[in-house]
Amino acid sequence: RLQESRERLSVCSKLCYAVGGAPYQITGCALGFFLQIYLLDVAQVDAFYASIILFAGRVWDAITDPMVGFFISKTSWTRFGRLMPWIMFSTPFAIISYFLIWFVPDISTGQVMWYLVFYCAFQTLVTCFHVPYSALTMFISREQSERDSATAYRMTVEVLGTVLGTAIQGQIVGKVDTPCIGSPFFFGLTNSSVAMEELNMTHDTESLTDTRNAYMIAAGVIGGLYILCALILLLGVRERREASELQSDEPVAFFQGLKLVMNHGPYIKLIAGFLFTSLAFMLLEGNFALFCTYTLGFRNEFQNILLAIMLSATLTIPLWQWFLTRFGKKTAVYVGISSAIPFLIAVVVLDSNLFVTYVVAVAAGISVAAAFLLPWSMLPDVIDDFKLQHPSSHGHEAIFFSFYVFFTKFTAGVSLGISTLSLDFAGYQTRGCSQPGQVNFTLKMLVSAVPVGLILLSLLLFKLYPIDEEKRRKNKKALQDLR
């Protein structure tokens, strides 16, 4: 009991730790929901090149996670810790690159390279923040209950971060009407892209100035929040070296540790399940703004619909924390993830109705909360199981977290690139007030049919995950004895 009392974290420490997760979610949500429509309708990048930017940026983001995990494992402890210096030095450069993503350069050629370079640069720098922050879970306490509690605080703040990202980006940009070009006559032409090009040449390009300025204002506000959250994390959390170490710890080489991690069965089964879950929700995230704008016809309401989803998710995080404590994490996975299926189907089957869309959005947010909380709550259990099987190996926490993020980001990059390319093949019209029927059908598939199939596949994979509540209790006792 005395040992457990020493390991307890104060509410202030948990809150400061949780705030550190907000920058990743605020910027990620703004990019996830708005970058695609920004590139297509504001920066006026061709859909084919936009798909290359989105695909390459996400894939590069995925590659940087294990790279950063490798360098962190080689980093020596300092007076600030081993993880905190990464967070400290990456923050200012991340903010600069993030702002430049939302800037439209006045250049006739090289625009695609501009967005590709700064998108990849930001993804690298935010990875240098988020991978050490994720691994910090294992360095704040040795008690499972305290880590789970801190994770619940973190997930609440991170979902709140998605609300802020959606609200700031959506409300600032939504106040400005992005001009569109009426296009009822050219859908029947044999070369509609030529017709659109001729219309764009005659259209006043200055009409987009207010929209472009709104995106930059939103980027500035989000950048300020990024700095504030990073400072709270750095000043309010102490990285404890002893929290993750056992009495018999001895250093193990990175690649030897990587081989051990990838051969750990519970880890592979866990990331396989959440891989498809994350893929489903990222497909929905990446295409939802276009779906609301063109398929449902809510051009001036989509930012409010997104906000309803994220507010619902934020408010139900404590509910899922109570549920997983009461009924177990595996049960929470089945109930939470599967609850999204009827609402994903309803949003495309029912006739376009604003009230029904808001009801579906609020209900879907409940499932989004479960998808946010559960992976980060279950990963520490896998790491504890790994420690029992390999008590002489330590310092691999960053590998566990970074490779989980790597797999989810890599597949998300592939899916988002393919989805944008699918819109191009379907005949997406840049800045069109409406879209051809094939584009609307493609959007329905991307936000409903494909995510539902991926969720069903993930639920089948979770049946193989071996760490239930009884196994968790045994591991906790065994770890206490080993320490």
Side-chain angles (χ1 to χ4, degrees):
R1 291 196 193 99
L2 183 61
Q3 179 65 29
E4 288 183 3
S5 66
R6 290 198 191 109
E7 295 290 338
R8 268 185 207 289
L9 298 171
S10 66
V11 173
C12 181
S13 296
K14 293 177 184 178
L15 285 173
C16 290
Y17 165 74
V19 166
Y24 180 78
Q25 297 300 338
I26 293 173
T27 56
C29 188
L31 289 168
F33 280 124
F34 293 93
L35 184 59
Q36 185 183 49
I37 197 170
Y38 166 81
L39 291 174
L40 293 173
D41 288 354
V42 180
Q44 300 182 44
V45 176
D46 182 83
F48 174 76
Y49 292 112
S51 68
I52 292 176
I53 293 170
L54 294 170
F55 167 74
R58 288 295 186 105
V59 170
W60 175 250
D61 184 23
I63 293 172
T64 58
D65 282 286
M67 289 172 57
V68 171
F70 170 78
F71 288 119
I72 288 175
S73 69
K74 296 298 183 182
T75 303
S76 301
W77 281 85
T78 68
R79 59 189 293 248
F80 302 106
R82 192 175 68 179
L83 305 174
M84 288 298 191
W86 285 82
I87 296 171
M88 188 185 309
F89 292 114
S90 65
T91 295
F93 300 104
I95 294 167
I96 294 171
S97 58
Y98 178 78
F99 181 81
L100 293 176
I101 292 173
W102 303 104
F103 177 75
V104 180
D106 187 17
I107 51 177
S108 56
T109 59
Q111 190 180 43
V112 173
M113 187 57 64
W114 172 281
Y115 290 113
L116 185 60
V117 168
F118 286 110
Y119 187 34
C120 290
F122 173 74
Q123 298 289 17
T124 303
L125 291 163
V126 79
T127 296
C128 291
F129 182 105
H130 192 64
V131 168
Y133 170 74
S134 299
L136 191 61
T137 308
M138 304 301 296
F139 291 87
I140 56 177
S141 177
R142 287 186 291 193
E143 282 297 312
Q144 285 184 354
S145 58
E146 290 301 297
R147 294 202 304 255
D148 285 347
S149 177
T151 299
Y153 276 82
R154 171 190 165 189
M155 290 301 106
T156 302
V157 173
E158 286 198 4
V159 178
L160 181 60
T162 65
V163 173
L164 286 174
T166 305
I168 293 169
Q169 191 84 9
Q171 297 303 315
I172 292 177
V173 172
K175 297 296 183 184
V176 181
D177 291 328
T178 302
C180 64
I181 299 174
S183 52
F185 69 92
F186 60 73
F187 286 152
L189 298 179
T190 56
N191 195 346
S192 61
S193 62
V194 174
M196 175 54 71
E197 184 178 354
E198 292 174 355
L199 283 173
N200 283 341
M201 289 174 63
T202 58
H203 195 270
D204 183 11
T205 56
E206 293 299 322
S207 60
L208 280 174
T209 301
D210 290 342
T211 303
R212 292 172 176 175
N213 289 339
Y215 273 99
M216 287 190 288
I217 291 171
V221 174
I222 289 174
L225 284 174
Y226 195 120
I227 294 175
L228 178 62
C229 293
L231 286 174
I232 292 173
L233 173 67
L234 291 168
L235 297 176
V237 176
R238 184 170 69 91
E239 182 181 351
R240 301 173 58 184
R241 184 173 186 174
E242 72 278 4
S244 184
E245 293 183 349
L246 303 175
Q247 292 179 349
S248 56
D249 282 341
E250 293 179 3
V252 177
F254 174 83
F255 289 104
Q256 182 182 349
L258 177 61
K259 182 179 179 181
L260 292 173
V261 168
M262 289 305 161
N263 286 329
H264 190 58
Y267 179 65
I268 298 301
K269 292 167 185 174
L270 182 70
I271 63 174
F274 279 115
L275 179 69
F276 292 103
T277 302
S278 301
L279 189 53
F281 284 102
M282 287 180 181
L283 265 178
L284 180 64
E285 177 188 74
N287 294 282
F288 196 74
L290 293 173
F291 176 74
C292 286
T293 300
Y294 295 113
T295 305
L296 298 181
F298 303 138
R299 176 177 289 272
N300 297 321
E301 287 288 336
F302 78 87
Q303 68 271 14
N304 297 322
I305 297 170
L306 295 177
L307 189 57
I309 294 174
M310 294 307 169
L311 279 173
S312 173
T314 303
L315 295 174
T316 51
I317 283 282
L319 169 66
W320 287 116
Q321 175 64 19
W322 169 84
F323 189 95
L324 67 87
T325 303
R326 178 69 177 81
F327 299 101
K329 296 180 182 180
K330 285 190 71 171
T331 304
V333 166
Y334 297 138
V335 175
I337 304 301
S338 62
S339 64
I341 294 176
F343 303 110
L344 292 176
I345 295 173
V347 77
V348 299
V349 171
L350 300 177
D351 293 333
S352 180
N353 181 286
L354 187 58
F355 175 76
V356 172
T357 303
Y358 272 109
V359 172
V360 170
V362 171
I366 299 172
S367 185
V368 171
F372 264 85
L373 174 65
L374 290 167
W376 303 109
S377 180
M378 296 169 78
L379 269 172
D381 299 336
V382 172
I383 297 174
D384 285 342
D385 188 73
F386 175 84
K387 286 174 182 286
L388 285 174
Q389 295 188 28
H390 307 280
S392 62
S393 179
H394 76 97
H396 305 308
E397 292 82 6
I399 299 176
F400 277 97
F401 286 96
S402 63
F403 271 89
Y404 165 71
V405 178
F406 165 77
F407 288 118
T408 55
K409 286 181 178 179
F410 182 82
T411 52
V414 173
S415 67
L416 192 55
I418 291 175
S419 67
T420 308
L421 201 57
S422 300
L423 294 175
D424 186 35
F425 289 148
Y428 181 85
Q429 304 297 333
T430 302
R431 292 178 60 196
C433 293
S434 59
Q435 296 292 339
Q438 288 182 330
V439 172
N440 290 325
F441 175 77
T442 302
L443 286 170
K444 286 182 179 180
M445 294 295 291
L446 292 173
V447 302
S448 180
V450 178
V452 167
L454 291 168
I455 287 173
L456 291 173
L457 182 57
S458 71
L459 293 176
L460 291 175
L461 290 170
F462 281 124
K463 293 288 290 182
L464 304 174
Y465 179 67
I467 303 179
D468 54 17
E469 291 307 297
E470 182 180 357
K471 178 73 170 175
R472 286 182 66 234
R473 286 193 293 269
K474 290 180 179 178
N475 285 351
K476 178 181 178 180
K477 185 179 185 307
L479 275 175
Q480 288 175 341
D481 294 341
L482 189 59
R483 287 187 177 117

